[in-house]
Amino acid sequence: MKGARNGSSLGHNVSGAFVFLLLGVFAVFSTLLVLLSAQLYRVTVDQTREHNDQRVLGNYLLNVVRGNDAANAVHVQRFGEVDALCLDLHADGETYVTYVYCYNGALRELFASAQEPFDPEYGEIICPAQSFRPSQSGGLLRLDCVDGTGRERNLCAALYCGADGGEAQR
């Protein structure tokens, strides 16, 4: 009888060790699954943010030009080392300017009175950008920019309003 007890005790020890081993393997694989899922989530969020920044850059630039297309209202100006797209607005006998430019790694917008001096520090950040070079030739506006990831974008916009003050037919 003594031998039967020892065999039974050994069986319980082996089955108990097997259960703990199985739980350990489950815990390790669960931890790996969580870590891999977290990494996948980070990559997805980063790619989404990058894609959105690229979309914002192009869409913002074209929409700000379209929304401010008026006779003699769109022009390009250089302030020291900063090239700016200037969009004039005349309201209540005053002239206001929206400056769009790249400064300190970001595309920025500054809305100010035309009487105020231009200071690039005060602009509101729109999205990350490495450079922005606007140029104008007649009724064609070219916007060359490099987004925050280094991808170059070249946008062209036709200005519909002529210098005579009348809006062209679309």
Side-chain angles (χ1 to χ4, degrees), residues 110-129:
L110 174 64
F111 180 77
S113 170
Q115 310 305 320
E116 297 292 321
F118 174 75
D119 187 351
E121 288 284 333
Y122 294 122
E124 181 179 341
I125 294 175
I126 303 300
C127 66

Side-chain angles (χ1 to χ4, degrees), residues 131-152:
S131 70
F132 175 65
R133 292 176 311 279
S135 60
Q136 187 175 4
S137 176
L140 184 64
L141 185 64
R142 183 178 170 100
L143 308 170
D144 298 320
C145 47
V146 178
D147 65 20
T149 64
R151 182 175 173 202
E152 189 171 332

